[in-house]
C-alpha cells in the first residue's frame, strides 16, 4: 500500500453485493478494502476502529440503517467520508442521507469507473452526486422564494458551477485566481442565499432553480 492508496470499508446487508464490490476494488491498485459490515451499527464500530478514507454505505439494512450510521459518524467527528451506494433514489432516502453528512450519493447501477471516480472524489472531500440522484434531490430542497432571498452574484455562480463538477476549494481558488479563504466566503454567501447548509444541497438547489442548467457530465 502506498500513500496514494484509498482505504475503504464496505457496508451492505447482502454478502453477494459486498463480495462483488470487494472483487472490484481489489482489482484496482489504488484501493484497499479494510473490512466489511452488514448494518449501520457494525459500520460505525468498524469505521471507528479501522479509520478508512471512505465508507461505502448502503441505506436500508436490518439491524441499523445507513442514515442513522452516517449521522452517528458525523456526530463522532469521524475522519472517514461516507459515499452512499444504494438502489434507492426516492425523495425520502436521498436528502436525509445528505443532511446526515454523506459526502455523496450514487446508485448501484453506476458503471465501475464512475464508482471508482466517485470514491476518489469522496476521499478528497468533494461532493459526488449522480445526475439521477440530483434530479431526485431538487424536489426536496425547494424553499419558498421570499424578498429576503437574493440572486447569486456572477462570481457565486462560477463557484457553484465548479462545486457541481466536484472541484475542491483549492482548485476553485486556482481556477478563479482568488484565495481559498475567498472561495469559502463565496460558499457561505451562496449557502445563505439558497437556504442550504452544504455543498451537496447547494448543487441540488442549483439544478432546481436553473442556475446550473442541468446535471454536468
Amino acid at each position: 500500500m502506498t500513500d496514494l492508496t484509498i482505504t475503504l470499508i464496505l457496508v451492505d446487508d447482502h454478502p453477494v453485493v459486498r463480495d462483488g464490490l470487494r472483487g472490484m476494488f481489489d482489482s484496482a491498485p489504488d484501493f484497499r478494502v479494510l473490512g466489511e459490515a452488514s448494518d449501520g451499527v457494525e459500520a460505525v464500530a468498524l469505521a471507528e476502529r479501522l479509520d478508512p478514507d471512505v465508507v461505502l454505505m448502503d441505506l436500508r439494512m436490518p439491524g441499523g440503517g445507513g442514515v442513522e450510521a452516517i449521522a452517528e459518524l458525523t456526530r463522532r467527528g469521524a475522519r472517514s467520508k461516507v459515499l452512499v451506494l444504494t438502489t434507492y433514489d426516492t425523495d425520502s432516502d436521498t436528502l436525509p442521507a445528505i443532511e446526515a453528512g454523506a459526502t455523496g450519493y450514487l446508485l448501484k447501477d453506476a458503471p465501475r469507473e464512475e464508482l471508482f471516480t466517485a470514491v476518489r472524489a469522496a476521499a478528497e472531500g468533494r461532493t459526488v452526486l449522480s445526475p439521477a440522484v440530483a434530479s431526485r434531490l431538487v424536489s426536496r430542497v425547494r424553499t419558498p422564494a421570499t424578498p429576503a432571498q437574493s440572486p447569486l452574484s456572477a462570481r457565486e455562480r462560477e463557484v457553484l458551477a465548479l462545486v457541481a463538477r466536484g472541484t475542491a476549494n483549492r482548485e476553485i481558488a486556482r481556477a478563479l485566481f482568488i484565495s481559498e479563504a475567498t472561495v469559502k466566503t463565496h460558499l457561505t454567501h451562496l449557502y445563505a442565499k439558497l437556504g442550504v447548509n452544504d455543498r451537496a444541497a447547494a448543487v441540488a438547489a442549483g439544478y432546481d432553480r436553473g442556475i446550473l442548467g442541468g446535471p454536468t457530465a
Side-chain angles (χ1 to χ4, degrees):
M1 186 173 72
T2 70
D3 290 341
L4 299 178
T5 301
I6 295 172
T7 58
L8 63 157
I9 62 173
L10 310 175
V11 186
D12 197 290
D13 60 316
H14 294 98
V16 68
V17 173
R18 298 198 306 270
D19 287 346
L21 289 170
R22 178 180 279 276
M24 187 184 302
F25 284 106
D26 283 348
S27 70
D30 55 338
F31 297 109
R32 183 187 178 204
V33 177
L34 299 180
E36 302 175 17
S38 59
D39 61 50
V41 174
E42 187 182 355
V44 171
L46 198 63
E48 198 160 58
R49 179 163 61 87
L50 300 179
D51 190 33
D53 297 316
V54 176
V55 177
L56 203 57
M57 182 81 74
D58 193 14
L59 286 186
R60 301 185 191 178
M61 297 172 287
V67 171
E68 293 80 6
I70 296 166
E72 181 62 18
L73 288 170
T74 300
R75 187 187 70 78
R76 296 187 184 192
R79 181 187 69 86
S80 306
K81 305 299 183 183
V82 180
L83 176 61
V84 172
L85 183 66
T86 184
T87 56
Y88 304 106
D89 66 346
T90 62
D91 292 347
S92 61
D93 289 301
T94 51
L95 193 58
I98 296 298
E99 289 179 335
T103 298
Y105 198 118
L106 284 184
L107 300 182
K108 286 181 178 176
D109 61 0
R112 166 193 172 107
E113 288 307 318
E114 182 179 335
L115 177 57
F116 284 177
T117 298
V119 171
R120 293 184 185 105
E124 296 174 2
R126 293 187 280 136
T127 299
V128 183
L129 290 178
S130 71
V133 169
S135 69
R136 298 297 302 175
L137 275 173
V138 297
S139 65
R140 292 291 305 275
V141 299
R142 290 193 176 111
T143 53
T146 66
Q149 288 181 319
S150 305
L152 299 188
S153 68
R155 180 45 58 91
E156 288 163 354
R157 286 171 177 266
E158 290 176 324
V159 170
L160 182 59
L162 289 168
V163 168
R165 297 185 192 118
T167 311
N169 286 358
R170 182 176 299 177
E171 282 68 42
I172 293 175
R174 187 178 298 120
L176 299 180
F177 302 101
I178 57 179
S179 70
E180 196 168 346
T182 301
V183 172
K184 292 177 180 177
T185 298
H186 285 313
L187 285 171
T188 298
H189 290 166
L190 68 87
Y191 288 170
K193 290 179 179 180
L194 295 175
V196 300
N197 297 314
D198 58 37
R199 295 166 73 97
V203 170
Y207 287 135
D208 178 38
R209 302 181 191 190
I211 298 169
L212 294 171
T216 57

